[in-house]
Amino acid sequence: MTVEHSFSLEMGTLVLYNEEKGGVQMSQDSAVDFFFRQRWPDGFRCPSCAHRDYSLIRTRTLPLYQCRSCKRQTSVTSGTVMHKTRTPLKTWADAIEALSSSHGLNAKQLAASIGCTHKVAWGMLTKFRASIEAIESARRLEGNVHVGLRSLAPKYIWIFLPNRHYRCERVVSVGASVDASGQPTAIKLLTVSRRELIEDHKEPTNEGRRRIVADTARRPEDAVWHNGWRRFPDTLNDCFREARGWLIQTYNGIGTRRLHSYLSEYCYRWNAAAQGVALRDEWLRLCFPMG
């Protein structure tokens, strides 16, 4: 698999409710039924005692399912990214479909796509990305792992000394598991703080390098570290350029505060595509990690 095709996602329309309702937009009730099946595909199971029988309580906006054994009440959203949400579940369903059938959407694009306010779209994206960030932070690359540093900077700056760290630059570690042909099979991108770098340089301190490799590879002692900025492996350089292009195209650039979150989303999408996993299934797993 080559880099240029590894993140190829088929663009589509919002079809999740078409599958459920035969072309009619999903209502709130049908959305509740849909998420019930996603959370409990084998039928209701109490999160406390695993009992299967329940009583249905419909006195609230979302129905509650009360376990007939321990009397615990739960809903389809409790303990998920949608916990305590005031956003209709049909809007969450539309958001999942829009995000999984695109290369990535910012809050403005998502709001226009599913017909909600910018505030609602931003809130949903923030919750999704928090879950993605937790997953990607725990992920470690395996096999033949290569790691190095690159930097994000505005195109208009003049970089006279390539190893010097200019204030407008954001240093990123680029890690990739590569196969026998040298092509990446999984990637991980991390932001690198200034305290992990040699002062005024884009080279890591010894401790910074150890931290970067430990956060990237399952077996840090076997990872290959690449020094220098001019002689950088094409495998890592292509991964970095692809990620940079995605950030610019989707978000028109990112500040330091949220850069790690957006890099995590990119890696999440890239790795899912590389593994041949349906993005729609991956986004649903974000809602129901315990499945």
Side-chain angles (χ1 to χ4, degrees), residues 35-281:
F35 282 115
F36 181 95
R37 295 194 300 273
Q38 293 299 316
R39 179 163 190 173
W40 297 298
D42 299 322
F44 175 82
R45 185 179 292 272
C46 177
S48 294
C49 67
H51 196 71
R52 291 190 172 275
D53 293 333
Y54 66 92
S55 299
L56 187 60
I57 302 173
R58 293 186 176 274
T59 57
R60 299 188 180 183
T61 303
L62 288 179
L64 293 176
Y65 307 92
Q66 179 172 291
C67 175
R68 290 185 177 177
S69 177
C70 68
K71 306 304 180 184
R72 171 172 174 172
Q73 296 180 350
T74 189
S75 69
V76 294
T77 62
S78 60
T80 72
V81 297
M82 301 177 289
H83 186 59
K84 294 185 178 180
T85 182
R86 296 183 179 180
T87 303
L89 291 190
K90 65 178 295 297
T91 304
W92 282 95
D94 289 346
I96 291 170
E97 186 61 30
L99 291 167
S100 63
S101 61
S102 70
H103 291 282
L105 298 173
N106 57 40
K108 181 179 179 181
Q109 293 168 333
L110 180 60
S113 177
I114 65 177
C116 68
T117 65
H118 183 277
K119 181 179 179 180
V120 169
W122 175 259
M124 289 191 292
L125 286 172
T126 299
K127 291 185 177 183
F128 278 131
R129 288 174 184 142
S131 294
I132 290 174
E133 194 169 346
I135 293 172
E136 289 300 317
S137 294
R139 186 196 301 270
R140 297 293 184 273
L141 301 180
E142 300 180 347
N144 186 11
V145 179
H146 292 250
V147 189
L149 299 184
R150 296 276 82 182
S151 66
L152 294 168
K155 290 184 178 180
Y156 58 81
I157 72 167
W158 173 257
I159 300 179
F160 183 71
L161 299 173
N163 289 327
R164 182 172 179 178
H165 191 186
Y166 294 85
R167 289 187 62 185
C168 59
E169 291 182 292
R170 304 294 179 262
V171 178
V172 176
S173 72
V174 184
S177 295
V178 299
D179 58 20
S181 64
Q183 295 300 323
T185 58
I187 65 172
K188 183 163 186 174
L189 307 178
L190 299 170
T191 55
V192 179
S193 66
R194 285 184 174 270
R195 65 176 177 272
E196 294 172 321
L197 301 172
I198 298 173
E199 187 176 2
D200 295 330
H201 287 75
K202 291 178 288 193
E203 295 294 337
T205 62
N206 290 334
E207 183 60 32
R209 174 176 166 176
R210 282 193 292 269
R211 198 281 303 175
I212 293 168
V213 175
D215 287 349
T216 301
R218 180 75 63 189
R219 293 176 56 86
E221 64 275 12
D222 295 337
V224 179
W225 179 268
H226 294 276
N227 287 316
W229 289 77
R230 295 189 182 278
R231 297 181 178 179
F232 203 71
D234 291 340
T235 298
L236 298 185
N237 223 13
D238 290 343
C239 290
F240 170 74
R241 288 174 178 173
E242 193 178 58
R244 181 179 60 188
W246 180 81
L247 287 172
I248 294 173
Q249 179 181 2
T250 308
Y251 305 107
N252 196 28
I254 298 295
T256 304
R257 180 182 176 186
R258 303 191 184 277
L259 178 59
H260 181 68
S261 177
Y262 290 97
L263 289 176
S264 293
E265 181 187 348
Y266 176 80
C267 293
Y268 185 78
R269 288 174 171 274
W270 197 102
N271 290 325
Q275 295 167 12
V277 179
L279 267 179
R280 183 176 296 108
D281 295 338

Side-chain angles (χ1 to χ4, degrees), residues 11-18 97-98 101 280:
M11 298 292 287
T13 56
L14 304 184
V15 297
L16 180 125
Y17 52 74
N18 290 343
E97 186 61 30
S101 61
R280 183 176 296 108

Side-chain angles (χ1 to χ4, degrees), residues 16-30:
L16 180 125
Y17 52 74
N18 290 343
E19 295 172 352
E20 294 295 310
K21 298 295 287 183
V24 179
Q25 186 171 3
M26 183 182 285
S27 67
Q28 177 70 358
D29 288 341
S30 59

